[in-house]
Amino acid sequence: MEAVDLKDELTCSICKSIFRDPVSLRCGHNFCRGCIDDLLGEQDSTRIYKCPHCYEIFSERPSPQGNVTLGSIAERLLSTNQERNEVEEVAIVCDYCFHSSVAAIKSCLLCEASLCENHLRVHSKAPEHILRNPTSSPEMEKCSIHNEIFKYYCTKDNECICVSCSLVGNHKGHEVELLPDAAYNMKTELKDIQENLAKMKIEAEDKLKILQDRKTKLPETAAKIKKRQTDIIQNLRNQLDLLQIQALSETSRQEEQASRSLSDKIHQLEKDRDDLSTEISNIKEVCDLTDPLTVLQEGASYFHKGDTKHEKSTDTDIRSVGNLAPTPTRTVVFGSRKTNAGSNFKLTTSAHYPDIRSVGNFDEGLICEMLHTTLSNIVMSINNDLYCHEATGLTLDAETASNNVSLSGDFKSASRTESSQNLYVHPKRFTTHPQVLSTMSFSDRRYWEVETNGTNYWMIGMCYPSMERNGPLSWLGANRKSWALKRENNRYSVSHGGKVVFLTTWSSANRIRIYLDYEAGRLSFYELGHPLKHLHTFKTTFTEPLHVVFYVWNQSWLRLRS
């Protein structure tokens, strides 16, 4: 066994020194005889006897048994020069040995003096003469107002108090706990906090590794996107040179922005990890202390007075790192302490790191939209090269059409009919509004076109299959499960979740393109006129596959084009 390990095995967990006359409790843990006797004496008032190491509770006061073997080893270790030097460096001398410096083994809080082994034998044994491990400042364990030794802990004010403070002082009538019990409760809560901090540290490290790996792969991802864009643009005429520069510049800008954001968040997570390590280390040091008063004084710094909560912000939303939109941070409550009668320390924690799958990704949909707008009439010829595929074979689902929606024979057109068709009842059918869904749903990157007959009132959009089929929430765009583009009186508007936004673009063509980039969370609408007009883009995180939705009114009709 190495010297350091041997010293740890021979160290009393109460006084943190090499054993002097070591004894063992029934639980198997060893202590200095004087240290454990003093502690058991303090527990006599409550008749609750606990091992200060494992906190095992004994039904009656235990009788420590001497450990001769352990004592012999401890004496040999103390006899080495190194140990003597260490003892001399930290020793507190006896206040009554005037002719020589003799190390004290106890300090009397009442007398505010330290005593060696000889003077301790003749010192008063009265209960008011409370002995502690040697300390250079015994006055710190006494009430500055009443000059009495601290005995209780006020749970309302989170302060150590004396008997007079509890009976006639500022803490009269407050709920109090004995110092050992209060220290035990605080240790319990601090250990809970430590465990939660450790879990948060592990989660932070996992997220940090993901971000670091993503940052490492960022140049490779950017290179692949640049090559794909370059291949597209090189197939066009010389007049597209400017477009090539713009597209590559946009990608480089996103790469730079993503790299900056990732670096910032990685730095932030590294700091959070280090802060958590520091917190854990500090709490561990407090929990390793055995003196109840020191535990309470050091541990109280993690709490506010009263019922307020100790807060530390460590949870940062990183879903949009490397993207364009900023996101807020969240606050995590590490610990709080209730102060009502008989209460224990309580812990409330809330730690959760959001999904980071999109952190540091490229907004390639934005680049595709820029290409679409610039290319206008030739956009059809380059869509496949842009990794954007047409939704071929798309038809409308007759089982979802309301009674006043009529479908064409090829199930690609929908129109409004005033007379009810008395269609058979089906759970997927719309019953309140003249709407119909597509047979196919999408969760990838697709586009398709819709042709209108130029009437002034219709809506097109997309929705989840779980959208309501009857009632006010079954109207396209009136709920959180659908996104709509509406045209009325030659003016466009968009809606989602019941919120309507009017667009500044007026209608000038009868063909609409819908572009879906599911993974990027983008749903875009374009008017295919001259020139092509970008109408609106919804940005969200999709959670279900999306169906195309038609809403027809009066004499309007809508048709899917291939």
Side-chain angles (χ1 to χ4, degrees):
M1 181 180 294
E2 296 181 359
V4 175
D5 295 333
L6 178 61
K7 182 180 177 182
D8 291 340
E9 292 293 327
L10 298 175
T11 299
C12 173
S13 61
I14 297 178
C15 66
K16 301 299 181 182
S17 300
I18 302 301
F19 288 124
R20 294 180 180 274
D21 190 11
V23 294
S24 302
L25 297 181
R26 290 200 301 270
C27 58
H29 294 112
N30 303 302
F31 310 92
C32 299
R33 183 182 296 275
C35 294
I36 194 63
D37 285 341
D38 289 344
L39 181 63
L40 294 175
E42 294 175 358
Q43 295 176 352
D44 282 338
S45 59
T46 61
R47 295 189 179 276
I48 299 177
Y49 302 98
K50 305 174 187 176
C51 171
H53 187 82
C54 66
Y55 300 108
E56 180 178 343
I57 298 177
F58 305 100
S59 58
E60 57 184 11
R61 176 167 179 162
S63 299
Q65 302 298 316
N67 192 324
V68 177
T69 303
L70 192 63
S72 176
I73 298 173
E75 288 178 1
R76 285 200 298 270
L77 183 62
L78 283 171
S79 66
T80 63
N81 291 333
Q82 180 180 0
E83 189 62 41
R84 286 198 192 99
N85 293 335
E86 292 179 357
V87 170
E88 290 174 359
E89 289 176 1
V90 298
I92 296 175
V93 298
C94 175
D95 291 326
Y96 299 104
C97 293
F98 300 106
H99 302 291
S100 62
S101 297
V102 180
I105 61 173
K106 291 292 180 181
S107 293
C108 176
L109 300 186
L110 180 64
C111 301
E112 295 186 2
S114 297
L115 304 97
C116 65
E117 188 172 1
N118 292 330
H119 286 101
L120 181 62
R121 292 195 186 99
V122 298
H123 188 71
S124 174
K125 301 299 188 295
E128 61 269 18
H129 289 268
I130 298 178
L131 300 177
R132 288 282 192 269
N133 294 328
T135 174
S136 58
S137 54
E139 69 279 358
M140 297 298 295
E141 300 191 30
K142 300 175 67 174
C143 175
S144 61
I145 299 176
H146 303 101
N147 199 30
E148 295 180 11
I149 298 170
F150 290 133
K151 187 174 182 180
Y152 299 110
Y153 187 77
C154 176
T155 59
K156 179 178 180 180
D157 298 326
N158 293 338
E159 292 181 6
C160 297
I161 61 175
C162 65
V163 175
S164 296
C165 287
S166 176
L167 296 177
V168 296
N170 295 333
H171 302 273
K172 180 180 179 180
H174 295 180
E175 293 294 332
V176 298
E177 297 175 345
L178 289 172
L179 290 185
D181 293 337
Y184 174 78
N185 291 336
M186 182 171 285
K187 277 189 175 183
T188 301
E189 182 174 358
L190 288 174
K191 287 183 177 180
D192 290 339
I193 295 176
Q194 181 185 12
E195 291 176 0
N196 281 277
L197 290 175
K199 293 177 181 178
M200 293 176 63
K201 179 185 175 183
I202 292 173
E203 186 174 358
E205 289 175 342
D206 291 341
K207 301 294 184 182
L208 179 62
K209 185 178 184 302
I210 293 174
L211 292 181
Q212 289 171 335
D213 292 344
R214 190 164 296 172
K215 188 174 187 298
T216 301
K217 297 176 181 179
L218 191 64
E220 180 183 354
T221 305
K224 291 179 180 179
I225 295 175
K226 288 180 179 181
K227 184 179 184 304
R228 183 161 58 245
Q229 295 163 359
T230 302
D231 291 341
I232 293 170
I233 296 172
Q234 286 177 346
N235 293 329
L236 303 177
R237 300 182 183 91
N238 293 333
Q239 64 184 359
L240 301 179
D241 289 344
L242 179 60
L243 175 61
Q244 181 180 12
I245 296 173
Q246 292 173 341
L248 294 177
S249 175
E250 173 60 19
T251 303
S252 298
R253 183 192 68 80
Q254 290 190 23
E255 179 190 7
E256 181 181 356
Q257 183 178 8
S259 179
R260 285 199 306 269
S261 298
L262 283 169
S263 297
D264 291 344
K265 290 304 177 184
I266 288 173
H267 175 73
Q268 182 176 350
L269 277 175
E270 288 174 339
K271 183 179 182 301
D272 290 345
R273 177 195 61 190
D274 296 339
D275 289 345
L276 289 170
S277 297
T278 302
E279 291 277 6
I280 292 170
S281 177
N282 292 341
I283 291 178
K284 183 177 183 304
E285 291 178 3
V286 176
C287 292
D288 288 341
L289 298 175
T290 58
D291 182 61
L293 179 61
T294 306
V295 171
L296 291 170
Q297 291 174 336
E298 296 292 334
S301 64
Y302 288 88
F303 307 90
H304 295 300
K305 289 189 176 183
D307 289 328
T308 57
K309 297 183 177 181
H310 178 68
E311 299 183 352
K312 181 177 179 63
S313 174
T314 63
D315 188 3
T316 303
D317 189 347
I318 57 176
R319 288 175 294 181
S320 62
V321 180
N323 294 331
L324 300 180
T327 54
T329 59
R330 297 176 56 220
T331 300
V332 178
V333 180
F334 286 124
S336 64
R337 190 175 191 279
K338 294 177 64 178
T339 60
N340 54 313
S343 64
N344 292 325
F345 293 94
K346 300 296 181 182
L347 175 70
T348 55
T349 62
S350 172
H352 175 68
Y353 282 90
D355 187 4
I356 61 169
R357 288 176 295 178
S358 63
V359 179
N361 291 337
F362 284 83
D363 189 359
E364 195 176 358
L366 177 63
I367 301 171
C368 292
E369 290 173 16
M370 180 181 67
L371 294 173
H372 288 169
T373 302
T374 306
L375 293 172
S376 187
N377 291 333
I378 61 173
V379 68
M380 291 291 294
S381 64
I382 64 169
N383 276 326
N384 287 336
D385 291 334
L386 287 173
Y387 192 57
C388 177
H389 301 289
E390 182 181 6
T392 57
L394 186 61
T395 58
L396 300 173
D397 187 354
E399 293 181 340
T400 65
S402 67
N403 271 312
N404 47 9
V405 172
S406 176
L407 302 182
S408 61
D410 61 0
F411 297 101
K412 287 185 175 294
S413 298
S415 60
R416 174 69 182 268
T417 176
E418 296 299 331
S419 59
S420 175
Q421 303 176 84
N422 295 320
L423 300 175
Y424 61 90
V425 177
H426 194 281
K428 296 195 300 182
R429 192 178 304 284
F430 288 102
T431 60
T432 307
H433 300 287
Q435 299 173 155
V436 60
L437 298 185
S438 62
T439 53
M440 298 171 60
S441 62
F442 303 94
S443 57
D444 55 4
R445 185 182 297 175
R446 296 294 180 105
Y447 78 91
W448 54 92
E449 294 180 11
V450 178
E451 184 178 5
T452 76
N453 64 342
T455 54
N456 284 331
Y457 193 176
W458 49 257
M459 286 195 294
I460 58 176
M462 303 198 76
C463 74
Y464 294 148
S466 61
M467 187 177 80
E468 298 289 337
R469 303 307 166 94
N470 59 79
L473 293 182
S474 65
W475 190 21
L476 180 61
N479 52 72
R480 303 293 297 178
K481 298 183 177 182
S482 62
W483 296 259
L485 171 70
K486 176 182 178 181
R487 189 173 78 176
E488 183 177 11
N489 296 327
N490 291 324
R491 187 176 183 183
Y492 290 114
S493 63
V494 292
S495 58
H496 170 65
K499 181 179 179 180
V500 179
V501 177
F502 289 95
L503 307 181
T504 57
T505 302
W506 291 79
S507 173
S508 60
N510 294 329
R511 289 171 57 199
I512 302 296
R513 167 169 291 183
I514 304 175
Y515 175 85
L516 171 66
D517 190 341
Y518 189 92
E519 290 297 327
R522 302 172 69 88
L523 175 62
S524 302
F525 298 91
Y526 301 88
E527 185 183 78
L528 300 180
H530 298 282
L532 180 146
K533 297 178 182 178
H534 171 244
L535 300 177
H536 185 76
T537 296
F538 289 103
K539 301 176 183 179
T540 186
T541 299
F542 298 118
T543 58
E544 298 180 42
L546 293 168
H547 288 267
V548 180
V549 189
F550 284 177
Y551 177 101
V552 289
W553 188 257
N554 294 334
Q555 302 302 315
S556 66
W557 57 260
L558 299 170
R559 181 173 178 80
L560 293 168
R561 289 177 54 91
S562 296

